[in-house]
Amino acid sequence: MADPDPTPQDEAARAGWLYYVGGLTQDQVATELGVSRQRAQRLVARAMADGLVHVRLEHKISACLDLEAALAKRFDLHLARVVPALPEGMDTATATAPAAAQVLERYLAQSDPLVIAFGTGRALSAMAAEVMRTPHAQHRIVSLISNIAPDGSASFYDVIMRMADKLQLPHYPMLVPVITDTVAERALFNALRPVQAVMQLADQADVTFVGIGQINDDAPLYKDGFITRAQLDELLAAGAVGEIVGGAIDAQGRYIDTPTTRLIGSFRIPAGRDKPVIGIAAGKSKLAAMRAALTGRLINGLVTDESTARALLG
C-alpha cells in the first residue's frame, strides 16, 4: 500500500507525537523525520500551537486513517485505531495507550449504565494511566483475570484497581490465583460464589478491553512468574502462539487444551462475540498472537501502531 504524501499538519502531528509522547529531543525528532533541527523545532512548535498535540494526538495522520480502513475491511472489525509508531526499541504501550484511553472514554461518557470488562498486562496498564480522572458512577467495571502469582505476589500490571481508583466505579476484581497447582484446586476456586458472580458479570459486559500476549520465550505469562519454563514448553509444543486473558490460542485463534491451561482461571472470551471486544497490542513479538486473535474472531476491535498494522496487512 503506497503512502499518501504527508500534509504539513501530518508532519507537525508526527513531530509533536515523537517529542511529547515519545520523549525524543528535537535533535532526535529531526533525525527520525529526516529534516533539519530548525525544521523539527518549527514542526514541534506548530503541533502545540495548532492544538494537534496536548498529551494525545488530536490530528489523524492520513496514513494512519488509511491503515485503519484497511484493517477494518480485512478483518471485519467494528473499530480500528492506528497511531504513529515510535522508534525501534521504545515501549509500544506508550504509543497505543492514549488512543486506547480515548476509545474507553467514549464508552465512559455514555449516560446509559455499562458493564466494562478489562484484562490485564502492560498495554492495559498504560491505558489506565492515560484515562482522565473523572467519576462515572453509572457504570461497573469487572476483571477478566486475576493478577496473583502462585507465590501470592501480585503483578505490577493490574488494571481493575487502577481504573476503580481513577473513576470511582463499582468494581469486581477476580480475587483468585491466575494458576493453581491442581485441577481440583481450580474447581474449588471456580465454585466460590464471588468468583461465579464475577464470571457472570464478565459474560454480560457491554464492552471488553484486552491485551494480546505472545507465547514464546518472551511470553508475559512466563516472564511475570505465572507459569514455569516447563509449562511454557508444554504450551509451545501444543501449538500455542498467543494468549488472551490467560486463554492460550493456536495460529487459527482456537483455544488449546493442555494440563497447564486447565489450571488457569480466567473468563474465556468466546469467538465471534457481537459486543465490542477491543484488543490493544503492538510490536513484532506480538504479530503471530495478534493474527491468531483476529483470525479466530476473538477480538472485533484493535488499537495498534503503524508498523504493526502494516505487518498485519502484509
Side-chain angles (χ1 to χ4, degrees), residues 115-306:
V115 175
I116 305 174
F118 295 102
T120 189
R122 292 159 177 78
L124 267 69
S125 182
M127 176 187 74
E130 288 288 335
V131 172
M132 299 293 186
R133 187 180 289 272
T134 308
H136 296 277
Q138 70 272 33
H139 306 310
R140 292 178 290 171
I141 58 176
V142 61
S143 181
L144 300 171
I145 188 171
S146 158
N147 72 323
I148 302 172
D151 64 359
S153 63
S155 162
F156 288 111
Y157 306 107
D158 181 47
V159 173
I160 194 76
M161 301 308 291
R162 294 186 187 187
M163 287 294 188
D165 178 57
K166 267 197 166 182
L167 305 174
Q168 298 298 296
L169 287 175
H171 54 288
Y172 301 81
M174 190 82 71
L175 295 176
V176 294
V178 170
I179 188 166
T180 58
D181 291 331
T182 66
V183 172
E185 190 179 55
R186 171 54 58 200
L188 199 63
F189 278 120
N190 289 350
L192 294 173
R193 189 167 66 173
V195 175
Q196 291 183 352
V198 169
M199 291 286 192
Q200 289 169 6
L201 196 60
D203 189 49
Q204 298 166 14
D206 296 291
V207 58
T208 300
F209 291 85
V210 295
I212 302 171
Q214 66 272 25
I215 297 290
N216 53 28
D217 288 343
D218 202 35
L221 278 175
Y222 172 59
K223 283 184 64 178
D224 294 342
F226 294 114
I227 62 174
T228 65
R229 179 71 220 194
Q231 289 170 323
L232 174 62
D233 290 340
E234 176 198 302
L235 295 179
L236 289 169
V241 299
E243 55 89 11
I244 295 181
V245 289
I249 56 175
D250 66 14
Q252 299 304 310
R254 298 171 299 210
Y255 289 109
I256 64 171
D257 179 43
T258 73
T260 294
T261 62
R262 294 170 206 151
L263 303 177
I264 296 174
S266 63
F267 177 79
R268 184 167 288 189
I269 296 171
R273 194 164 191 173
D274 291 331
K275 294 178 180 178
V277 181
I278 300 166
I280 305 165
K284 292 179 182 178
S285 67
K286 292 184 179 290
L287 279 171
M290 293 174 70
R291 285 197 186 99
L294 290 162
T295 300
R297 300 289 299 154
L298 296 174
I299 60 173
N300 54 33
L302 181 64
V303 179
T304 191
D305 68 11
E306 281 177 292

Side-chain angles (χ1 to χ4, degrees), residues 22-97:
L24 274 64
T25 65
Q26 290 184 355
D27 284 334
Q28 290 171 321
V29 171
T31 301
E32 187 69 17
L33 297 183
V35 299
S36 68
R37 187 185 188 283
Q38 291 74 20
R39 178 159 176 75
Q41 190 174 25
R42 288 195 298 270
L43 289 170
V44 169
R46 179 176 178 177
M48 179 60 73
D50 288 359
L52 304 182
V53 174
H54 296 243
V55 175
R56 302 178 183 178
L57 188 63
E58 297 292 345
H59 171 73
K60 276 286 191 177
I61 294 174
S62 52
C64 293
L65 287 171
D66 290 343
L67 289 168
E68 289 176 0
L71 284 171
K73 182 177 180 181
R74 172 78 64 85
F75 298 108
D76 191 25
L77 299 177
H78 299 328
L79 175 145
R81 294 288 182 271
V82 176
V83 301
L86 294 175
E88 190 81 21
M90 296 192 70
D91 184 3
T92 57
T94 303
T96 58

Side-chain angles (χ1 to χ4, degrees), residues 94-127:
T94 303
T96 58
Q102 286 179 318
V103 173
L104 171 58
E105 285 166 1
R106 292 191 183 101
Y107 285 102
L108 291 170
Q110 295 184 21
S111 56
D112 291 337
L114 300 176
V115 175
I116 305 174
F118 295 102
T120 189
R122 292 159 177 78
L124 267 69
S125 182
M127 176 187 74

